[in-house]
Structures are given as C-alpha cells and as structure tokens.
Amino acid sequence: MRSISRRDLLRSGAAGAAALCLARRPGLSAAFADEKKIPIGLQLYSVREDAARDLAGVLKAVAEMGYHGVEFAGYYGHSAQDIRKMLDDVGLVCCGTHTGMGTILGDALPATIEFNQILGNKYLIVPGLGGEYTSSRAGWERAVREFTEAADRARPEGMLVGFHNHAIEFRPLDDGTLPWDLIFSNTPDDFVQQIDTGNAIHGGVNPVDFIRKYPGQTTTVHLKEHGGAFGEGNVPWEEVFEACETVGGTEWYIVEQEEYDKPPLECVADCIEVLREMGKL
C-alpha cells in the first residue's frame, strides 16, 4: 500500500475546504456536487478599468455571465468587509488575490492574511518578480527562501502561498536551469504554481509539461490564450484540462484576458461562453 505523503494530506485537506466553501455559497453547491467540475473564476485585472469605476457593478455582471469566483489584483480603495459584502450579494467566491512579494514578508504577512480571511480567500499568489530577484541566480535563490518562509508561516492560518509565471521564469540561467524549476524544486509541496498558459507559451514552453512535472501543485491556473481569440490560439486546451483534472490538483480555473477586440466585459463574457462550449460549465 502506498504511504500517504504530506502532499496527499495537504491536497485532501485543501479539497475538503474548497468543497465546504462551495457548499456554503448560494448557487454553487448543486452544480459542483453533482458534476465535480472545477469552478471558473475571473482575474479582475482583465476588467480593471471597469472595476475601478464600479466594482460592485462589475461583480454583478461577472456573476451573471456564469463565473463562480473572482481573483483580485488590487482592491480599488475598498475595505475587505465591503468587498466581502459585494461578493456575497451576488454569490461569488474570492478564488485568489495577486499580492506583491512585500505583502507576504515579515510584519506585513499577518495583515495580508487577515484581509484575505475576511474575503474568504486562501490563495496568496505573488504575480511576478523583478529587479534584484530576477537579475541573477542569487536573486532567484533569495526568492526561494522568502517563498518558503511565507508558505510555512501562512500554512497554520489555512492559507496557501504561490507564484504566477510570466515568460522570464522560463529563460535559462547560465547553468541551464530554468528559474521556474529552481523555485518549484526547492519550495514546499503545497507552494502553488499558478501556471499562466499564455505566458508560459510566450516563454517558449508547453504549460502542460510543468503541470505534470509538479503534480498536485497547480492549485489554481490561469486560462489565458496565446496567438488568437480565446479557444482559437496556440494553447492546447484539451491537454491543459486533462492534466489539471488528473494530476494538477487544480481547484480553480481562472480566466485572464489581456487582449481586446471589443470592450473588456464583452471579451470576458466571450471567454466563459467558449468554456461552456468546451464542456467546462
């Protein structure tokens, strides 16, 4: 009999917490209890200008499109309490926040955890690194140490820390090591690799390879197209979904749209319609 690893325990606990969260939110429990489909969120950076003008209105519109949750990349001047009420009013879940490295370090972490606990969010995702972190191997190694410390401190509070890729993480260092591998080979098993499918392809790699390479760690994934309209570009969607749903440990699919041929809210409405056609809803 295979022994149960710490990763197995972490994943089973996280899955149970996610199911409990869904069961407590209106409009979600029946669909996902019966179909066991991964819920779909929207990264609000996709509609940032609309959200800055009228966050409550955007959340209402997003819920009506069929999204189950939203991931924040800024709070538009609102308190955690106000945002939570907006979410509850329309039946949405907070499925993540993009929060800068500085917010998960040192004395800043407790306040970040408290804010996100009010939102009902357990995923603290650093959206990218720059400067001294990315200029040398020593910088990436520093990031590994800081990510590990933050993950270890957040875990007892029921929070998961993670990292979201752009292209730079797949540019080899002098010894051929990819920064992404340097990070995920040296951080805890519950450190979330938030693969961004479009950014990974832009970086010259197949995102599926990394979902499989670090099983159970693609807890949330960014569904972003590359080279065309959503569903019509270069992302191998069938392979992405198969990997997420078999080995990825994926709890949320999160749409991110950064190219627009129409108003952003119409674009993200188109994205979820494509996912509906793909059988993901």
Side-chain angles (χ1 to χ4, degrees):
M1 179 181 295
R2 183 176 67 89
S3 63
I4 298 175
S5 69
R6 183 166 69 90
R7 174 178 291 169
D8 294 328
L9 290 171
L10 289 165
R11 288 291 163 239
S12 63
L20 181 61
C21 179
L22 290 174
R24 289 176 175 173
R25 301 304 287 270
L28 288 180
S29 57
F32 292 98
D34 293 341
E35 300 180 34
K36 295 184 174 61
K37 290 185 177 180
I38 294 173
I40 297 173
L42 175 69
Q43 166 51 256
L44 288 174
Y45 186 77
S46 308
V47 292
R48 55 195 176 277
E49 293 180 2
D50 295 285
R53 287 190 295 268
D54 180 12
L55 180 58
V58 165
L59 294 176
K60 182 175 184 293
V62 167
E64 290 173 350
M65 291 173 194
Y67 287 95
H68 308 109
V70 290
E71 181 180 58
F72 287 87
Y75 308 108
Y76 311 102
H78 297 284
S79 69
Q81 292 83 355
D82 287 346
I83 293 173
R84 180 58 184 265
K85 184 178 186 306
M86 293 180 203
L87 293 171
D88 288 345
D89 284 347
V90 296
L92 288 173
V93 174
C94 179
C95 59
T97 58
H98 273 192
T99 189
M101 187 67 138
T103 70
I104 65 167
L105 301 179
D107 294 341
L109 181 60
T112 300
I113 289 174
E114 181 181 7
F115 192 100
N116 281 274
Q117 286 175 333
I118 293 169
L119 294 183
N121 171 53
K122 67 176 181 179
Y123 312 99
L124 307 178
I125 309 298
V126 174
L129 296 173
E132 294 182 2
Y133 286 107
T134 60
S135 60
S136 67
R137 184 186 184 95
W140 291 109
E141 290 174 343
R142 172 188 165 192
V144 167
R145 293 191 298 272
E146 293 178 351
F147 281 142
T148 298
E149 180 181 354
D152 289 345
R153 292 176 63 201
R155 189 180 302 113
E157 304 299 326
M159 312 295 285
L160 296 174
V161 175
F163 187 46
H164 168 274
N165 69 278
H166 289 83
I168 191 171
E169 294 84 11
F170 302 108
R171 295 173 185 159
L173 301 172
D174 290 344
D175 65 355
T177 303
L178 299 183
W180 195 255
D181 285 328
L182 179 62
I183 290 171
F184 285 92
S185 295
N186 295 285
T187 46
D189 289 345
D190 62 347
F191 185 68
V192 178
Q193 70 152 357
Q194 189 182 71
I195 287 286
D196 181 304
T197 55
N199 287 353
I201 291 176
H202 183 64
V205 300
N206 184 340
V208 176
D209 293 341
F210 291 87
I211 297 170
R212 294 192 174 282
K213 188 170 188 177
Y214 300 104
Q217 288 188 246
T218 310
T219 319
T220 70
V221 60
H222 269 209
L223 306 183
K224 183 190 293 177
E225 189 56 270
H226 180 273
F230 195 90
E232 300 176 4
N234 302 321
V235 176
W237 290 114
E238 285 191 20
E239 295 176 34
V240 167
F241 294 137
E242 193 273 339
C244 286
E245 292 164 19
T246 56
V247 300
T250 304
E251 297 174 4
W252 280 92
Y253 289 139
I254 301 174
V255 169
E256 185 174 24
Q257 180 75 13
E258 291 188 306
E259 297 182 2
Y260 311 95
D261 59 1
K262 58 182 69 173
L265 280 168
E266 293 183 31
C267 286
V268 299
D270 288 347
C271 291
I272 199 165
E273 286 305 310
V274 172
L275 289 170
R276 185 173 280 111
E277 292 168 6
M278 291 178 174
K280 296 295 123 182
L281 281 171

